[in-house]
Amino acid sequence: MGKNNEYLEISKQIVANIGGMDNIQGTAHCATRLRIVLKDNDLAHIARLERYVSAMNQLQKLEDIDKVKGAFIAGNQLQLILGAGTVNDVYEVFAEYTNTQNMSLGDLKEESAKRQNPLQAVIKALSDVFIGIMPAL
């Protein structure tokens, strides 16, 4: 199986385990992680505490996908750990497959921020202030 076919199969498995194409709000990647903002985290059975067992089963399914080394929700983003280098190749195929190309990590963070509740927004605003003044301290 060629690399593009392998990454297409990985992309299809990821989509099947996160609630389908219609549940994807945006995608981007950093050095080691594929980052996906879902419209509804509950469709992937990851976000709700009362679905802890289902969430763990869902995460296990994601982690069982070839090349995926870990999966978790952070900052309203599903993050799949793929590793340096691999993430670039998987993202390229995944973004084309899901039609989410040309979205930067900044764009993804904006989409993620739209889903924050008021408490999360306040905490983020405070952390942004302190990050800016940390070098001076």
Side-chain angles (χ1 to χ4, degrees):
M1 178 184 281
K3 282 209 183 274
N4 278 352
N5 289 337
E6 178 184 7
Y7 297 148
L8 180 58
E9 185 57 35
I10 290 169
S11 297
K12 289 177 180 180
Q13 291 175 20
I14 291 170
V15 169
N17 281 287
I18 61 173
M21 292 259 205
D22 291 338
N23 196 34
I24 298 172
Q25 193 167 345
T27 63
H29 72 90
C30 63
T32 60
R33 298 176 186 163
L34 175 62
R35 297 169 180 249
I36 306 167
V37 174
L38 303 175
K39 293 177 183 173
D40 184 354
N41 290 343
D42 289 343
L43 292 179
H45 304 289
I46 294 173
R48 296 180 60 182
L49 185 58
E50 61 267 21
R51 292 188 186 177
Y52 181 75
V53 173
S54 294
M56 293 310 294
N57 289 339
Q58 189 69 20
L59 285 172
Q60 188 60 45
K61 287 179 184 174
L62 287 168
E63 289 176 344
D64 283 345
I65 296 170
D66 189 35
K67 306 286 188 217
V68 176
K69 295 173 175 67
F72 58 94
I73 296 281
N76 286 322
Q77 296 175 17
L78 170 64
Q79 297 186 17
L80 303 176
I81 302 168
L82 297 166
T86 303
V87 70
N88 298 334
D89 298 333
V90 172
Y91 169 76
E92 187 176 306
V93 174
F94 184 82
E96 185 175 331
Y97 176 67
T98 60
N99 199 27
T100 56
Q101 307 96 314
N102 304 321
M103 183 173 240
S104 70
L105 190 54
D107 295 337
L108 188 72
K109 287 180 179 180
E110 280 182 33
E111 288 297 324
S112 180
K114 290 177 186 176
R115 300 191 62 235
Q116 291 178 340
N117 65 40
L119 178 61
Q120 289 172 320
V122 168
I123 291 170
K124 170 127 176 52
L126 288 173
S127 69
D128 288 346
V129 167
F130 284 108
I131 288 172
I133 63 171
M134 286 298 281
L137 297 176

